[in-house]
Amino acid sequence: MSNSYASYVRRMRNVEPTKDERRALMMALSNERRAVEAGRSGRAGQPSRAGLVRAAVTRRAVAAVAAVAVVALVAGVVGTMVGAPGASGPAGAVGPVLAAYADGTQLGDGAMLLPANFGSSVSWSQGDDGSYHFDFNVDLSLAERRYRDITYTVDGGDATLKFLQSREGVSAGDTLADYEGVTTFTLSDATIAGTYVLSVDVPQDEIDAITDDPLADSAEVCALAARKLAGTRIRITATDSSGAKTSLCFELNPVDDFAERYARIEKHFQEDGETDGASLFTMRIVE
Amino acid sequence: MFTRNEELRSEDFMEAAVAAHHGAVFRLALNQTGNRADAQDVTQEVFIKLMKSFTAFRDADHLRAWLLRVTINQCRDLARQAWKRRVDVSAEPVVRPDAAQDEVLDAVVEHPVWSALRTLKETDRAVLHLRYVEELTIPEIADALSCKQVTVRTRLRRARLKLRRAMEDAGGVRGGASVGVTDGIGGLQ
């Protein structure tokens, strides 16, 4: 080692967390332990959770949750704006039509180009086994609020669903509709607001094949994950206000130039804090 | 010692793990994120993951490798999420270091090698840090970075070369002095 690097190493080894930082860490662990144990016991004053609970305890985690909450809020507003009760849903389809589909732009091949916010918020992480896990925030709320007993099911493919009910308006003792890593779940009615996520895993060797720096090439990496979602079919079965049970199946596909569009969105967001309105997915009704 | 029977790891286990590895996790997080506040966040998240994990650790070395691997992943997650974290609802104040630690950290940040390291990729910084600051062996680094030993050796060579060039560009290394290319530490080529 050069003398310069050796002196740097000596200085770096002197860096230690302070007593306050150690105390703060132990307190955070203690708080997390209490939160988890309280969640298990379902004690009074704590909302019980139907699915997996992930407590947000760090400043960063809190911020990330807030970002998701914004997405959920937007989804809720979209759901409120589109669609009025009627015999047939938007775009002429009969049954529980997705708000994103109803809000899309008709393409020549009969598919809908979905609104820009559909799937544009992607988070991903690498697991202990090296594989990558991707979460695409997608708005799967219905265009019409007259439905109840809405069952979402992924037909085939490797994607799984996540739904986290919005905490707004939830009272102590309420049961929250939270699901994670499932291929089907049911909401009691269409007014339940929340965050929908489509998740998919990508083996490490597939990521390694396209880049040795996934962080720098995040657009390519996300495009690879999006291609894993190609052809994913989401079946929605619901009961309308007259008691009739209907079903529609939607097939999802990423746009051909997903990587380029995603890179533009990311760049635009970093510069201005806004997305640039580029759509990333198309959808068609297949049954 | 490092086994798990409960749904959450015991307080005794966590206290022992924090006492033994808090420093290494924090330094690696600092190396990767470049600032103390993010390093605090990453460190906290890593130990919370440990408390909830189901991994049965063979020994302390296995635990350390696990912690360092999770730290690397957590730092990557933090960087990936950066563009989404523009919604700022900061809830907890950053724990301020004391004056003595301020000086220690200043001494690191003001060092020319620190600046040169910031020009390297995270993976290159990580492999140099684990090898020379934490003094991990090649197999231990391979375990921590979830890659093959030959990959670690390649990354080390590449990272040292890049660091040397970065320091030459900054005027920090003159007359053919090198960063580890001929250091022979650990039998590296």
Side-chain angles (χ1 to χ4, degrees):
Chain A
M1 255 188 315
S2 68
N3 288 337
S4 184
Y5 191 70
S7 73
Y8 165 79
V9 167
R10 281 195 298 274
R11 291 185 189 185
M12 191 59 166
R13 285 179 184 161
N14 286 333
V15 173
E16 289 286 346
T18 64
K19 288 180 181 175
D20 284 345
E21 286 169 332
R22 175 71 57 88
R23 200 175 299 123
L25 172 60
M26 298 310 295
M27 189 177 296
L29 291 172
S30 177
N31 290 342
E32 184 71 7
R33 185 181 298 280
R34 278 201 302 272
V36 171
E37 289 171 351
R40 282 200 195 113
S41 63
R43 71 184 183 194
Q46 295 281 342
S48 60
R49 310 277 291 269
L52 182 64
V53 177
R54 183 165 54 201
V57 293
T58 67
R59 289 184 309 117
R60 299 300 178 189
V62 168
V65 168
V68 171
V70 169
V71 173
L73 181 62
V74 171
V77 170
V78 170
T80 305
M81 288 169 57
V82 298
S88 69
V94 177
V97 176
L98 292 174
Y101 181 88
D103 239 14
T105 304
Q106 183 88 46
L107 299 175
D109 62 356
M112 288 285 192
L113 184 63
L114 299 182
N117 64 339
F118 190 99
S120 65
S121 176
V122 187
S123 62
W124 46 290
S125 58
Q126 189 174 18
D128 291 346
D129 64 352
S131 67
Y132 290 74
H133 180 82
F134 291 80
D135 282 341
F136 289 79
N137 271 86
V138 292
D139 174 17
L140 297 180
S141 61
L142 299 186
E144 299 173 277
R145 299 302 185 95
R146 62 194 174 100
Y147 288 98
R148 57 184 168 81
D149 298 332
I150 307 140
T151 298
Y152 294 83
T153 304
V154 173
D155 273 354
D158 297 324
T160 58
L161 291 162
K162 183 189 297 184
F163 179 79
L164 300 174
Q165 184 179 347
S166 170
R167 272 49 182 161
E168 190 174 358
V170 174
S171 305
D174 286 352
T175 297
L176 294 174
D178 281 6
Y179 303 92
E180 185 162 351
V182 299
T183 54
T184 185
F185 68 89
T186 299
L187 300 181
S188 58
D189 68 75
T191 64
I192 296 176
T195 302
Y196 300 82
V197 173
L198 266 177
S199 304
V200 67
D201 292 324
V202 179
Q204 183 178 12
D205 57 349
E206 292 188 30
I207 301 290
D208 289 347
I210 61 169
T211 178
D212 64 351
D213 189 352
L215 187 57
D217 298 322
S218 62
E220 294 293 339
V221 166
C222 289
L224 175 59
R227 287 196 291 276
K228 295 280 183 187
L229 294 177
T232 295
R233 293 187 172 191
I234 302 167
R235 175 172 295 284
I236 300 171
T237 304
T239 303
D240 66 19
S241 49
S242 67
K245 192 172 184 178
T246 50
S247 177
L248 286 174
C249 188
F250 299 85
E251 184 180 280
L252 185 69
N253 283 290
V255 295
D256 292 338
D257 56 345
F258 184 101
E260 292 79 5
R261 289 184 183 219
Y262 187 85
R264 285 204 306 273
I265 290 172
E266 208 169 17
K267 182 173 183 290
H268 201 76
F269 195 93
Q270 286 169 342
E271 290 172 351
D272 303 329
E274 304 288 341
T275 57
D276 74 345
S279 296
L280 295 172
F281 287 93
T282 67
M283 186 177 271
R284 69 173 70 241
I285 294 177
V286 290
E287 291 176 45
Chain B
M1 176 184 179
F2 296 110
T3 57
R4 173 186 171 81
N5 295 314
E6 308 87 358
E7 290 186 41
L8 285 179
R9 293 184 190 277
S10 70
E11 292 183 25
D12 287 347
F13 175 93
M14 291 308 302
E15 284 179 11
V18 169
H21 303 294
H22 192 185
V25 169
F26 180 75
R27 282 190 295 272
L28 179 57
L30 186 64
N31 166 275
Q32 293 288 282
T33 64
N35 73 80
R36 189 166 206 123
D38 282 344
Q40 286 174 1
D41 284 352
V42 166
T43 301
Q44 181 175 309
E45 192 66 23
V46 167
F47 280 100
I48 285 173
K49 283 180 183 288
L50 173 65
M51 187 168 71
K52 294 178 175 178
S53 79
F54 291 91
T55 305
F57 297 109
R58 294 186 302 273
D59 50 32
D61 287 344
H62 185 201
L63 171 61
R64 179 178 61 171
W66 186 94
L67 285 168
L68 296 176
R69 182 167 63 244
V70 173
T71 303
I72 294 282
N73 289 338
Q74 198 63 35
C75 290
R76 287 176 180 165
D77 289 351
L78 186 73
R80 283 178 201 129
Q81 293 164 3
W83 72 281
K84 290 199 306 180
R85 288 188 285 105
R86 295 283 291 271
V87 181
D88 188 6
V89 291
S90 181
E92 298 175 22
V94 176
V95 178
R96 294 300 311 155
D98 55 32
Q101 270 301 315
D102 264 343
E103 289 180 12
V104 171
L105 189 55
D106 285 349
V108 170
V109 173
E110 290 166 2
H111 199 286
V113 170
W114 172 269
S115 302
L117 283 170
R118 305 326 297 170
T119 67
L120 271 56
K121 290 179 181 174
E122 286 86 352
T123 50
D124 292 335
R125 286 205 303 273
V127 76
L128 287 171
H129 179 90
L130 294 175
R131 182 69 191 96
Y132 298 114
V133 177
E134 301 301 335
E135 297 185 296
L136 267 60
T137 64
I138 299 298
E140 287 172 335
I141 297 172
D143 195 13
L145 297 180
S146 301
C147 62
K148 296 175 182 175
Q149 293 182 31
V150 66
T151 305
V152 173
R153 293 179 189 280
T154 303
R155 284 183 182 175
L156 261 178
R157 275 198 297 274
R158 185 181 64 188
R160 286 185 303 217
L161 188 60
K162 287 181 180 174
L163 180 59
R164 186 179 67 180
R165 285 176 180 161
M167 293 194 64
E168 286 172 349
D169 289 345
V173 175
R174 307 224 182 267
S178 63
V179 179
V181 173
T182 56
D183 65 4
I185 291 176
L188 297 178
Q189 299 301 307

